[in-house]
């Protein structure tokens, strides 16, 4: 049965944030709210967590996992980007964007795209997620919580707990969040490609 932790979205209680991080440190798979719906998250090195995400969402090996970062210092350790890419991404973050970039050696091979060797990264505009990331001290391995029979992310913690009670270890409740997914921009080619339009304005990357 999933445990529920109710945390204030604007002023996250440190004691409760610590409980979430303690669960992640112990290998938990967590459902948590972001600025673009709920997501599933675990520690990057938690191999079982990645497989559980794949099972819940019925994902194949070509799915781009997202590494959710607190800031550009973390992001820069995980992906390679040139000066122009840095400036473009910097101007759009934090916010509801996911950027696909070539992965560095810091990213486990099993998490990168098997052919392109790319991975998704993002810096969310969420005080709650930022508090969790700061306390964790590392990025989160994450994937938007869109169930196989749905086309939008889940938005309410109680619903997540009902649907995934036996599939996740902890659900962070923090009020209703927007259902719009992130805008996904692929920087792995010669020019940026908007591969999904979502909550983030795609115009700067078109």
């Amino acid at each position: 049965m999933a445990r529920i932790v109710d945390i204030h979205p604007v002023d996250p209680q440190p004691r409760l944030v610590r409980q979430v991080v303690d669960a992640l440190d112990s290998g938990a798979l967590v459902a948590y709210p972001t600025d673009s719906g709920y997501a599933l998250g675990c520690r990057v090195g938690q191999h079982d967590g990645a497989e559980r995400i794949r099972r819940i969402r019925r994902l194949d090996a070509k799915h781009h996992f997202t590494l959710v970062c607190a800031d550009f210092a973390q992001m820069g350790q995980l992906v390679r980007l040139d000066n122009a890419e840095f400036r473009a991404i910097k101007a759009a973050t934090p916010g509801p964007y996911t950027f696909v970039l070539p992965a560095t050696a810091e990213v486990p091979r099993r998490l990168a795209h098997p052919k392109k060797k790319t991975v998704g990264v993002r810096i969310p505009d969420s005080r709650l997620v930022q508090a969790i990331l700061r306390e964790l001290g590392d990025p989160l391995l994450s994937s938007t919580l869109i169930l196989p029979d749905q086309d939008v992310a889940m938005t309410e913690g109680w619903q997540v707990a009902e649907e995934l009670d036996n599939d996740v270890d902890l659900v962070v409740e923090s009020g209703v969040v927007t259902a719009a997914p992130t805008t996904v921009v692929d920087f792995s080619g010669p020019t940026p490609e908007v591969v999904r339009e979502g909550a983030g304005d795609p115009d700067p990357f078109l």
Side-chain angles (χ1 to χ4, degrees):
M1 180 179 294
R3 177 185 172 200
I4 299 176
V5 178
D6 195 340
I7 304 180
H8 197 280
V10 178
D11 189 18
Q13 303 93 318
R15 174 180 59 85
L16 299 180
V17 170
R18 184 67 244 175
Q19 290 180 19
V20 176
V21 172
D22 286 343
L24 290 165
D25 285 341
S26 67
L29 178 62
V30 172
Y32 67 100
T34 76
D35 53 349
S36 57
Y38 265 78
L40 298 168
C42 64
R43 270 199 168 276
V44 171
Q46 186 65 28
H47 186 277
D48 180 61
E51 293 308 311
R52 290 171 69 185
I53 292 173
R54 283 194 172 100
R55 287 197 300 270
I56 291 170
R57 294 204 53 204
R58 299 179 192 168
L59 302 172
D60 60 26
K62 295 181 181 179
H63 174 73
H64 270 111
F65 277 107
T66 298
L67 299 176
V68 180
C69 304
D71 51 36
F72 269 87
Q74 281 189 350
M75 183 183 287
Q77 296 176 352
L78 303 169
V79 292
R80 299 193 302 273
L81 64 168
D82 60 26
N83 289 336
E85 292 166 347
F86 175 88
R87 288 193 297 270
I89 294 172
K90 181 75 171 177
T93 54
Y97 292 90
T98 299
F99 303 101
V100 178
L101 290 152
T104 68
E106 296 294 318
V107 178
R109 290 180 61 186
R110 61 187 172 81
L111 301 182
H113 189 282
K115 291 185 178 180
K116 297 180 179 180
K117 310 304 180 189
T118 50
V119 71
V121 289
R122 68 172 302 222
I123 301 174
D125 186 15
S126 164
R127 292 188 181 184
L128 172 56
V129 179
Q130 287 289 336
I132 292 171
L133 291 169
R134 286 194 300 271
E135 185 70 20
L136 187 66
D138 287 306
L140 266 178
L141 172 65
S142 192
S143 181
T144 304
L145 181 41
I146 302 175
L147 296 179
D149 59 346
Q150 300 176 0
D151 54 11
V152 295
M154 302 182 77
T155 59
E156 298 184 68
W158 67 266
Q159 183 186 21
V160 173
E162 280 192 357
E163 292 277 351
L164 300 177
D165 188 40
N166 296 315
D167 296 314
V168 300
D169 303 302
L170 186 147
V171 176
V172 179
E173 171 64 73
S174 193
V176 179
V177 296
T178 179
T182 58
T183 292
V184 180
V185 186
D186 190 342
F187 278 92
S188 63
T191 58
E193 178 187 0
V194 177
V195 296
R196 182 180 72 192
E197 292 192 20
D201 182 5
D203 287 351
F205 304 100
L206 295 175

